[in-house]
Amino acid sequence: MVDSSRAEPVDLTDVSIDDQFWNGWIETNRETTLEYQYEQLESSGCLENFRRAASGDSGGFEGMWFADSDAYKWLEAASYVLADGDVDSDAGLDESRRNELEKRVDDIIDLVASAQEDDGYLNTYFALEEPEKRWTNLNMMHELYCAGHLIEAAVSHYRATSDSRLLDVATRFADHIGARVDDEIDGAPGHQEIELALVKLARVTDEQRYVELARTFVDRRGRNDRFEREFERVESIAGYDPDDGGIATDARGAFYEDGEYDGSYAQAHEPLPEQETVEGHAVRAMYFFAGVADVAAETGDRELLERLEKLWENMTSKRMYVTGGIGSSEHGERFTDDYDLPNETAYAETCAAIGSVFWNQRLFELTGNARYADLIERTLYNGVLSGVSVDGTEFFYDNRLESRGDHHRRGWFDCACCPPNVTRLLASLERYLYARGPESLYVNQYVGSTISTAVAGTAVELEQTTTYPWSEDVTIDVRTEDPATFSLELRVPSWCTEAVIRVNGDEVRAGENDTSGEAEYVTIEREWDEDRIEVTFAQSIVPVRMHPAVGENCGRVALTRGPLVYCLESADNDRPLRQYSLDLEGEQRTRKDDELADDLENAALSNPVVIDCDAIAPSLESWESDDEGGATESSGTDRPPLYQPDDRVSTKSETVTAVPYFLWDNRDPGEMAVWIRSA
Amino acid sequence: MVDSSRAEPVDLTDVSIDDQFWNGWIETNRETTLEYQYEQLESSGCLENFRRAASGDSGGFEGMWFADSDAYKWLEAASYVLADGDVDSDAGLDESRRNELEKRVDDIIDLVASAQEDDGYLNTYFALEEPEKRWTNLNMMHELYCAGHLIEAAVSHYRATSDSRLLDVATRFADHIGARVDDEIDGAPGHQEIELALVKLARVTDEQRYVELARTFVDRRGRNDRFEREFERVESIAGYDPDDGGIATDARGAFYEDGEYDGSYAQAHEPLPEQETVEGHAVRAMYFFAGVADVAAETGDRELLERLEKLWENMTSKRMYVTGGIGSSEHGERFTDDYDLPNETAYAETCAAIGSVFWNQRLFELTGNARYADLIERTLYNGVLSGVSVDGTEFFYDNRLESRGDHHRRGWFDCACCPPNVTRLLASLERYLYARGPESLYVNQYVGSTISTAVAGTAVELEQTTTYPWSEDVTIDVRTEDPATFSLELRVPSWCTEAVIRVNGDEVRAGENDTSGEAEYVTIEREWDEDRIEVTFAQSIVPVRMHPAVGENCGRVALTRGPLVYCLESADNDRPLRQYSLDLEGEQRTRKDDELADDLENAALSNPVVIDCDAIAPSLESWESDDEGGATESSGTDRPPLYQPDDRVSTKSETVTAVPYFLWDNRDPGEMAVWIRSA
């Protein structure tokens, strides 16, 4: 790493989470979801593809052509679980499960290794279906994408176990690619992923050539790249089906606009340094920008970093849902236009939110700017967590902000990118809580946890205790091996208007947050020894409004409290949701809802806080057929009025209950709305 | 006609319109639209189809397979124009234009007659394309539909001119059909139309057998009819194309629901007497119900009438737009579910609104109930009139209630049903103003006009003078040949809460309308000689609310004044329309907008009244990047906030201008909204 970075990540193994909110999620992820997804890898044919490729079979590939990546993401997640050494903590893995998981991981690694070809190439779709067409369709066939996930899995497994078998496989494949990058692979990957993976590989192997390879892919994009030329010779490239065009031509819808080629779907419409707005497929964009950030970190390229910050500003000020979700359109799973953020058709793919976490973590490390860690918080608690059911076995691919009751999580998807992505993020949550500066330690996320690390030349242990995000208090105990002077950088969240911070009982910060809506770090520089920091981030219920350019949400508010976005669900509210209008002049009250937690049977929700809010709604009596406006004498039948003058109808007071957005669709199916009319 | 009817229509020729509002529309319709549509008949190939069929050609049919009906509807409209004998009145036809039009009508009649086959059959699609497949696809091929329009044209032409040539053609075709109705034509028509046409034919020829034939078609529908069986033998019926199934299979989407046959698209899901809700293709439904009303009138069938009233109640209380438009869904151009009335995707086909006028006129005649004439008023001024541009050359097929700016009238359509339908309605508007009871005369619509008719055995002339709907005053001068006692029945509109009626200066009715939202007749029974009635229907601006079951319009109002529904358009309002919220506690003011009339260059709009309304809108200053909520110091760039706490943003007062809905999309393209948020 060159000095361009302001902070560096901490090792997963240095952090141990023990948190009232997260323990349940992490345990469900590890015990249920990881297991459930392994079964899916088997039943979907993903592992069978590796077996058959290894045995030299041909034909019969099952699943999406990039299904190898499902196995790699699973391996990555499992490796994070194995890295979690704290078998004794409540949130840890017990010994027998650990042995079982190790065995399973080893078996899959054997399988992957045995499917690798002699020249280092590894992709079961090509091995089984089109061995002669390797590297002919960089655009859609995702060989480099799968390679990237292989590398990520390998790096994680090596870091978790020091066993280099999978890393060797990945390195051989990376070198295979590197040897062809000016020849057969004279383009950029259609779906980014390998860029960030190569930088991880460079860091673990200390081989600069992988950074160079990543930089090559970054630089090529948008510069007369191969995508358009591949479409011109579509009949001779991989994925082409003479009957219906197949995968090779299916992409036309995403890459052509009014018959003209348009590379924006893959961020290839122009070179990155010229891009002003976040465009195209949102997951590709996030993985790309994360990879670019890695390249910027490794090369010290300020221009790349400044461009990323500009793009981040476009995204967060004009193209992002209040949940942190991104990508407005199902068509192309993509960013669209500034302020085009529809609720009911929001795409906001779970993978894109996760990609945003990856990108933001890197931007934070590069800049030390609290706004990036702050957006991770928003995205994690809302746009990511909504992607998985509380029982860990159902998943949202697209995270709508409003539903008439017909949108539900599903057990699996043909394109199963999202479930294992959630799993690898939850299994590596430790990564995002803290970071180390040269003479400082950043506290980015408020999660009950302990970190043991070295700062300013001394061993430091820092223990957070909190019931965040349900409550506003966080206690941080600092213990150093020897008294040492360094800064603790505490993120004050953007939503917090009143932050009180005490060290050993002395107030170091009180009252109104002067950042007015921007997150910031409060720096506490002192000699640390054995000290207690007490933090209170006042959590009031904040109705939030959206920029008026988003016409659909004019006159509506979203209820938030702390980092959580809330929503209305039919399960808690009797009327069709659109009948309610929040009475912001009235009362909004928080309430601990233990019944809700019981209903959901998830320990993570031991103490969920719901919001009861005064509202008004039409008086339905005004609309009955037997009042004077309705019945028609001549026919003697009831005819309720469909239209009435405003002065003939009335409203009544109601109370609505809002629950955290991430919890929606975990009970009886029904309507949901984040943005609610307000009186 | 049996005594089941309470009122009978007046002859077109007995009424002469001279009205500030309607003169312009009628003149544009006659001078521009009729001419324009004739050119379309020629350029679309419609008349050429007749020429080629007459000359015995085969193949090469142009346009939709039911394009013959375009010619027939044009003939019907032209006949109404010819029937308007008042060549001297402002609204009348001048002599040379009349001669020209007569000649053109005669030529087309010659053409139609020459295309009739020896056995009386007449359909140019079948003559040219599939002569051997007559009557094999009643479902979709519209032979009976075209026959119905031929009959309507023929009856109109005969009534206008006493020339029976076209009537003879129609009669021969009707008899051809009658002779085969138990044999080849052992089903009901897929698209209703012939039912009402046959009753017209019965009335003009005094031949009861045409009523019987109409009744047969009415009774067959929904009773094991042929539609489903035709789909089973789809490869052998007309319209089938071996390559892609063609017309014959295209209908599957409309007639099949989840793979199961469902006749509701053509109101054939069950026999009419069992139907509880208005279902299916809205134009078919309206033409059907109009035909059923005719059969009920001719046969005295009370059960049919009661069923129609029940269906009317379902439609008007649960399935009708505030404009009188009907049919919510573009898919199938159909009714959907109760309270499913979306704004932006409203279909509300112009033809369906016109069909509703036809049906309501018949229900009024059968019952003497003011609610039907009242709905004609609402539909005419809003849902129908919006269908044509003020210059008479562009048409809406679907009449949205909200537009982001991308929905516009067009010059013609492949399926050109709507334009000539508007034309024949406007050319026969005289029909809908008055009606005669046994000892009474109904005044249904307030339009400047004169009627000369006989009531209670004496000649009566009644002259209306008004600038309705812009103003609230109507003067009616009654002159009888001899003093005579009868009732004048004046419709008090449903929207009128204060109606004052004076006869020769004496108040016969004053103050609040006790019908509370239902239209009613005020009966003035006296000896009439030479008398003046002065009517004032107080026209206030009334914000209307919609039933809360229509979730989309909760919290919104539509502005109305008198019979007119208003809307906001971008042409009059600077902001994106969804930023406005009407301040109903504030002021709403009417304003005569002569500039608007000048802009639109249509005499009909000499005196248009627009509404200025207090509104509130977000203060855009709250959302600029240089206020304290926005800029980010670290990067030095502007980043306007996308989300802000409610208490950090403010609103400001604005004035919005609303124009009559029928006028929308006649100026610069832009947004439009009928339903507007209200504070």
Side-chain angles (χ1 to χ4, degrees):
Chain A
M1 194 175 300
V2 300
D3 12 346
S4 58
S5 289
R6 303 281 293 273
E8 60 177 309
V10 294
D11 286 347
L12 201 65
T13 48
D14 290 345
V15 179
S16 171
I17 292 176
D18 187 5
D19 182 81
Q20 188 179 6
F21 180 88
W22 286 103
N23 280 2
W25 289 101
I26 291 171
E27 188 180 319
T28 300
N29 186 55
R30 187 185 62 216
E31 304 296 335
T32 304
T33 312
L34 197 66
E35 188 66 21
Y36 175 83
Q37 291 183 358
Y38 174 77
E39 289 159 16
Q40 298 298 326
L41 291 181
E42 202 57 276
S43 63
S44 68
C46 171
L47 295 181
E48 188 63 17
N49 289 333
F50 282 98
R51 281 185 205 108
R52 298 187 60 253
S55 70
D57 275 5
S58 76
F61 178 87
E62 287 188 77
M64 302 291 272
W65 59 100
F66 48 87
D68 288 2
S69 62
D70 296 346
Y72 299 146
K73 278 195 274 191
W74 187 90
L75 277 177
E76 183 185 344
S79 299
Y80 293 137
V81 170
L82 293 177
D84 185 355
D86 303 306
V87 291
D88 298 330
S89 92
D90 282 352
L93 183 66
D94 83 31
E95 192 80 36
S96 74
R97 275 280 294 130
R98 184 189 173 83
N99 292 339
E100 195 185 340
L101 185 62
E102 264 175 353
K103 169 82 171 63
R104 181 168 283 168
V105 165
D106 284 345
D107 288 349
I108 300 182
I109 289 174
D110 287 345
L111 197 54
V112 169
S114 64
Q116 186 164 37
E117 305 193 31
D118 291 342
D119 61 358
Y121 183 86
L122 176 47
N123 185 295
T124 72
Y125 170 82
F126 278 88
L128 293 170
E129 298 291 338
E130 302 195 87
E132 76 293 352
K133 294 227 170 139
R134 291 178 184 178
W135 310 123
T136 59
N137 184 347
L138 298 186
N139 201 340
M140 284 306 295
M141 296 311 293
H142 294 0
E143 289 156 285
L144 293 168
Y145 169 84
C146 290
H149 279 300
L150 169 63
I151 295 167
E152 283 206 274
V155 171
S156 300
H157 186 256
Y158 176 73
R159 290 202 187 277
T161 63
S162 301
D163 172 356
S164 68
R165 278 181 312 145
L166 192 60
L167 188 63
D168 291 342
V169 171
T171 307
R172 282 182 62 208
F173 195 14
D175 290 338
H176 173 106
I177 292 163
R180 285 159 183 79
V181 76
D182 294 323
D183 184 16
E184 294 156 76
I185 311 178
D186 61 339
H191 195 315
Q192 300 93 327
E193 154 64 22
I194 197 168
E195 299 85 347
L196 70 88
L198 285 167
V199 176
K200 281 190 177 181
L201 186 61
R203 287 173 183 164
V204 80
T205 61
D206 217 12
E207 292 283 1
Q208 188 63 18
R209 69 174 185 277
Y210 298 124
V211 172
E212 294 309 316
L213 187 52
R215 165 124 225 169
T216 298
F217 287 136
V218 167
D219 287 348
R220 278 182 183 171
R221 188 169 300 274
R223 287 190 170 88
N224 184 28
D225 57 46
R226 252 176 60 165
F227 301 140
E228 188 174 5
R229 296 199 299 281
E230 286 180 358
F231 278 113
E232 287 163 5
R233 55 175 189 256
V234 71
E235 295 181 17
S236 62
I237 64 176
Y240 181 75
D241 180 327
D243 286 340
D244 64 1
I247 306 158
T249 60
D250 278 355
R252 286 187 163 265
F255 274 101
Y256 280 76
E257 186 78 26
D258 300 327
E260 288 287 302
Y261 173 79
D262 172 5
S264 66
Y265 173 66
Q267 297 76 45
H269 49 299
E270 53 195 5
L272 180 71
E274 293 166 26
Q275 295 185 17
E276 299 278 341
T277 49
V278 289
E279 297 294 342
H281 188 270
V283 179
R284 286 168 205 237
M286 293 303 102
Y287 286 14
F288 181 41
F289 300 153
V292 172
D294 284 336
V295 168
E298 293 297 324
T299 62
D301 186 329
R302 298 296 304 172
E303 195 196 348
L304 285 181
L305 172 60
E306 279 159 23
R307 183 55 46 173
L308 290 179
E309 292 203 273
K310 197 172 185 67
L311 291 168
W312 186 91
E313 282 160 11
N314 171 250
M315 177 176 94
T316 56
S317 67
K318 291 172 184 166
R319 302 187 176 199
M320 186 183 78
Y321 287 100
V322 69
T323 55
I326 47 174
S328 308
S329 169
E330 180 161 6
H331 174 74
E333 306 180 313
R334 68 186 290 165
F335 290 105
T336 55
D337 299 314
D338 286 348
Y339 301 116
D340 175 35
L341 293 158
N343 297 320
E344 273 192 73
T345 58
Y347 201 65
E349 185 180 336
T350 304
C351 282
I354 291 168
S356 173
V357 170
F358 296 160
W359 181 31
N360 275 284
Q361 179 69 12
R362 287 159 171 85
L363 285 175
F364 154 73
E365 289 165 8
L366 277 164
T367 62
N369 190 326
R371 66 183 187 173
Y372 302 116
D374 197 71
L375 181 54
I376 289 176
E377 176 182 270
R378 177 198 290 256
T379 307
L380 206 52
Y381 282 102
N382 301 289
V384 171
L385 221 42
S386 64
V388 58
S389 62
V390 294
D391 71 359
T393 63
E394 293 194 302
F395 307 90
F396 272 136
Y397 194 113
D398 45 339
N399 295 274
R400 309 288 166 88
L401 268 75
E402 186 165 343
S403 168
R404 299 270 75 78
D406 53 359
H407 186 61
H408 306 295
R409 289 188 189 81
R410 291 167 50 193
W412 204 244
F413 305 90
D414 288 340
C415 176
C417 51
C418 298
N421 231 349
V422 175
T423 304
R424 67 181 180 139
L425 181 62
L426 288 177
S428 58
L429 192 65
E430 291 88 346
R431 276 275 176 75
Y432 302 92
L433 312 188
Y434 304 96
R436 289 190 310 188
E439 302 283 314
S440 57
L441 188 60
Y442 289 87
V443 180
N444 277 337
Q445 306 302 336
Y446 296 96
V447 174
S449 56
T450 307
I451 175 171
S452 304
T453 188
V455 185
T458 190
V460 175
E461 186 177 274
L462 194 144
E463 185 178 354
Q464 270 197 71
T465 316
T466 183
T467 53
Y468 195 90
W470 305 127
S471 69
E472 55 196 18
D473 298 320
V474 182
T475 301
I476 301 173
D477 288 307
V478 184
R479 288 178 289 270
T480 60
E481 196 172 21
D482 301 306
T485 298
F486 60 88
S487 305
L488 263 186
E489 304 279 350
L490 301 182
R491 179 178 59 88
V492 178
S494 58
W495 50 261
C496 180
T497 51
E498 208 178 321
V500 178
I501 299 173
R502 288 189 183 80
V503 179
N504 301 327
D506 298 332
E507 223 162 72
V508 296
R509 155 100 180 200
E512 204 175 327
N513 186 354
D514 60 1
T515 60
S516 304
E518 289 286 335
E520 60 162 8
Y521 286 107
V522 167
T523 304
I524 312 176
E525 188 177 357
R526 68 196 307 280
E527 192 186 70
W528 301 95
D529 179 8
E530 193 164 334
D531 305 284
R532 166 162 289 194
I533 304 168
E534 289 159 302
V535 177
T536 303
F537 295 137
Q539 289 190 340
S540 51
I541 297 167
V542 180
V544 163
R545 293 207 181 263
M546 194 166 191
H547 195 289
V550 182
E552 183 178 355
N553 287 338
C554 284
R556 302 196 200 185
V557 296
L559 293 173
T560 68
R561 177 176 179 268
L564 299 182
V565 173
Y566 279 70
C567 68
L568 301 190
E569 274 202 282
S570 296
D572 307 294
N573 301 288
D574 294 336
R575 291 173 179 252
L577 299 181
R578 290 187 291 193
Q579 290 189 12
Y580 296 111
S581 174
L582 298 185
D583 178 8
L584 298 183
E585 316 270 279
E587 268 191 52
Q588 296 107 40
R589 301 162 296 277
T590 54
R591 173 166 57 85
K592 289 185 184 180
D593 193 339
D594 295 325
E595 259 179 61
L596 175 61
D598 289 348
D599 284 357
L600 294 171
E601 294 175 8
N602 185 307
L605 308 168
S606 54
N607 222 4
V609 172
V610 302
I611 298 174
D612 293 325
C613 188
D614 287 355
I616 59 171
S619 165
L620 298 179
E621 290 73 33
S622 303
W623 294 94
E624 284 171 2
S625 53
D626 56 357
D627 85 348
E628 55 174 11
T632 56
E633 227 173 88
S634 75
S635 62
T637 63
D638 276 351
R639 182 166 68 106
L642 183 55
Y643 303 99
Q644 290 195 84
D646 176 58
D647 61 11
R648 283 216 205 120
V649 301
S650 57
T651 57
K652 59 192 292 188
S653 296
E654 299 263 351
T655 301
V656 294
T657 297
V659 298
Y661 172 74
F662 70 78
L663 281 183
W664 94 272
D665 197 42
N666 274 292
R667 294 172 291 166
D668 289 341
E671 289 191 307
M672 182 278 291
V674 169
W675 291 95
I676 311 149
R677 279 191 298 123
S678 72
Chain B
M1 191 176 300
V2 301
D3 8 346
S4 56
S5 288
R6 303 282 294 270
E8 58 177 310
V10 295
D11 286 347
L12 202 65
T13 48
D14 290 347
V15 179
S16 170
I17 292 175
D18 187 4
D19 181 83
Q20 189 178 5
F21 180 88
W22 287 102
N23 281 1
W25 289 101
I26 291 170
E27 190 180 318
T28 301
N29 186 54
R30 188 186 60 216
E31 303 296 336
T32 304
T33 312
L34 197 66
E35 188 66 22
Y36 175 83
Q37 291 183 357
Y38 174 79
E39 289 160 15
Q40 298 299 325
L41 292 182
E42 203 54 279
S43 64
S44 69
C46 171
L47 296 181
E48 188 64 16
N49 289 334
F50 282 98
R51 280 186 205 108
R52 299 187 59 252
S55 71
D57 275 4
S58 77
F61 177 88
E62 287 190 75
M64 301 292 272
W65 60 99
F66 49 88
D68 288 1
S69 62
D70 295 346
Y72 300 146
K73 278 196 275 192
W74 187 89
L75 277 176
E76 182 185 345
S79 298
Y80 292 138
V81 170
L82 293 177
D84 185 355
D86 302 307
V87 291
D88 298 330
S89 93
D90 283 352
L93 184 66
D94 84 29
E95 192 79 35
S96 75
R97 275 281 293 132
R98 182 188 175 83
N99 293 339
E100 194 185 341
L101 185 61
E102 265 176 351
K103 169 82 171 63
R104 183 168 281 168
V105 166
D106 285 346
D107 289 349
I108 299 182
I109 289 174
D110 288 345
L111 197 53
V112 169
S114 65
Q116 186 165 38
E117 304 193 31
D118 292 343
D119 62 357
Y121 183 85
L122 176 47
N123 184 297
T124 72
Y125 170 82
F126 279 88
L128 292 170
E129 298 292 337
E130 302 195 86
E132 76 294 352
K133 293 227 171 139
R134 291 178 185 176
W135 310 124
T136 59
N137 184 348
L138 298 186
N139 200 342
M140 285 306 294
M141 295 311 292
H142 294 0
E143 290 155 286
L144 294 168
Y145 169 84
C146 290
H149 278 300
L150 168 63
I151 295 168
E152 283 206 275
V155 170
S156 299
H157 186 255
Y158 175 73
R159 289 204 188 274
T161 63
S162 301
D163 171 356
S164 68
R165 278 183 310 147
L166 192 60
L167 189 62
D168 292 343
V169 171
T171 308
R172 283 182 63 208
F173 195 14
D175 291 337
H176 174 105
I177 293 163
R180 284 159 183 80
V181 76
D182 294 323
D183 185 14
E184 295 156 76
I185 312 178
D186 61 338
H191 195 315
Q192 301 92 327
E193 154 65 20
I194 197 169
E195 299 86 346
L196 70 88
L198 285 167
V199 176
K200 282 189 176 181
L201 186 62
R203 288 173 182 165
V204 81
T205 61
D206 217 11
E207 293 282 2
Q208 189 61 21
R209 68 174 185 277
Y210 299 124
V211 173
E212 295 308 318
L213 187 53
R215 166 123 225 171
T216 299
F217 287 136
V218 167
D219 288 347
R220 278 182 182 172
R221 188 169 301 271
R223 288 190 170 90
N224 185 27
D225 55 47
R226 251 177 59 164
F227 300 140
E228 188 174 5
R229 297 199 298 281
E230 287 180 358
F231 279 113
E232 287 163 4
R233 54 175 190 258
V234 70
E235 294 181 19
S236 62
I237 64 176
Y240 181 77
D241 180 326
D243 286 339
D244 64 0
I247 306 158
T249 59
D250 278 355
R252 286 187 163 267
F255 275 101
Y256 282 76
E257 185 78 25
D258 300 328
E260 289 286 303
Y261 173 79
D262 173 5
S264 66
Y265 174 66
Q267 297 74 47
H269 49 300
E270 54 195 4
L272 181 71
E274 294 166 25
Q275 296 185 16
E276 298 278 341
T277 49
V278 290
E279 298 294 343
H281 187 269
V283 179
R284 287 168 205 237
M286 294 302 102
Y287 286 14
F288 181 40
F289 300 153
V292 172
D294 285 337
V295 168
E298 292 298 323
T299 61
D301 186 329
R302 298 296 302 173
E303 196 197 346
L304 285 181
L305 173 59
E306 280 160 21
R307 182 55 45 174
L308 291 179
E309 292 203 272
K310 198 172 184 66
L311 290 168
W312 186 91
E313 283 160 9
N314 171 250
M315 177 176 94
T316 56
S317 67
K318 290 171 184 166
R319 300 187 177 200
M320 186 182 78
Y321 287 99
V322 69
T323 56
I326 46 175
S328 308
S329 170
E330 180 161 6
H331 175 72
E333 305 180 315
R334 67 186 290 164
F335 290 106
T336 55
D337 299 314
D338 286 350
Y339 300 116
D340 176 36
L341 293 158
N343 297 319
E344 273 193 72
T345 58
Y347 200 65
E349 185 180 338
T350 304
C351 282
I354 291 169
S356 173
V357 169
F358 296 161
W359 181 31
N360 276 284
Q361 179 69 11
R362 286 159 170 86
L363 284 175
F364 154 72
E365 290 165 8
L366 277 164
T367 62
N369 189 326
R371 66 184 186 172
Y372 302 116
D374 196 73
L375 182 54
I376 288 175
E377 176 181 89
R378 177 198 289 256
T379 307
L380 206 52
Y381 282 102
N382 301 289
V384 171
L385 220 42
S386 63
V388 58
S389 63
V390 294
D391 71 359
T393 63
E394 293 193 302
F395 307 90
F396 272 136
Y397 194 113
D398 46 338
N399 295 273
R400 309 288 166 90
L401 267 76
E402 186 165 343
S403 168
R404 298 271 75 79
D406 53 359
H407 186 60
H408 307 294
R409 290 187 189 81
R410 289 168 49 195
W412 204 247
F413 306 90
D414 289 339
C415 175
C417 50
C418 298
N421 231 349
V422 175
T423 304
R424 66 180 181 140
L425 180 63
L426 288 176
S428 58
L429 192 65
E430 292 87 347
R431 277 275 175 73
Y432 302 92
L433 313 188
Y434 305 96
R436 288 190 310 188
E439 300 285 314
S440 58
L441 188 61
Y442 289 87
V443 180
N444 277 338
Q445 305 302 335
Y446 296 97
V447 174
S449 57
T450 308
I451 176 172
S452 304
T453 188
V455 185
T458 190
V460 176
E461 186 175 276
L462 194 143
E463 185 179 354
Q464 271 197 71
T465 316
T466 183
T467 53
Y468 195 92
W470 304 128
S471 69
E472 55 197 19
D473 298 320
V474 183
T475 302
I476 302 173
D477 288 307
V478 184
R479 289 178 289 270
T480 59
E481 196 173 23
D482 300 307
T485 299
F486 59 89
S487 306
L488 263 186
E489 305 279 352
L490 301 181
R491 179 178 60 88
V492 178
S494 58
W495 50 261
C496 181
T497 51
E498 207 179 322
V500 178
I501 299 173
R502 288 188 182 80
V503 179
N504 301 327
D506 298 333
E507 224 162 69
V508 296
R509 155 99 180 203
E512 203 176 328
N513 186 355
D514 60 1
T515 61
S516 303
E518 288 287 333
E520 61 163 5
Y521 286 107
V522 167
T523 304
I524 311 176
E525 187 176 359
R526 70 195 307 279
E527 192 185 71
W528 300 94
D529 180 7
E530 192 163 334
D531 305 284
R532 167 162 289 194
I533 305 169
E534 290 159 303
V535 177
T536 302
F537 294 137
Q539 290 190 340
S540 52
I541 297 165
V542 180
V544 163
R545 292 205 182 264
M546 195 168 191
H547 196 289
V550 183
E552 184 178 355
N553 287 338
C554 285
R556 301 197 201 186
V557 296
L559 293 173
T560 69
R561 178 177 179 266
L564 299 183
V565 173
Y566 279 70
C567 68
L568 301 190
E569 274 202 281
S570 295
D572 307 294
N573 301 288
D574 294 337
R575 290 173 180 253
L577 299 182
R578 291 186 291 193
Q579 289 189 12
Y580 295 111
S581 175
L582 298 184
D583 177 8
L584 298 183
E585 315 270 279
E587 268 192 51
Q588 296 105 41
R589 301 162 296 276
T590 55
R591 173 166 56 87
K592 289 186 185 178
D593 192 340
D594 295 326
E595 258 180 62
L596 174 61
D598 290 347
D599 283 356
L600 296 171
E601 293 175 9
N602 185 307
L605 309 168
S606 54
N607 223 3
V609 172
V610 302
I611 297 174
D612 293 325
C613 189
D614 287 355
I616 59 171
S619 166
L620 298 179
E621 290 73 32
S622 303
W623 294 94
E624 285 172 1
S625 53
D626 56 357
D627 85 348
E628 55 174 12
T632 56
E633 226 175 272
S634 76
S635 63
T637 62
D638 276 351
R639 182 165 68 108
L642 183 54
Y643 303 99
Q644 289 194 84
D646 177 59
D647 62 11
R648 283 216 206 122
V649 301
S650 57
T651 58
K652 58 191 292 186
S653 296
E654 298 264 351
T655 302
V656 293
T657 297
V659 298
Y661 172 74
F662 69 78
L663 281 183
W664 93 272
D665 196 42
N666 275 291
R667 294 172 293 166
D668 288 341
E671 289 190 308
M672 182 277 292
V674 169
W675 291 95
I676 311 151
R677 279 191 297 122
S678 73

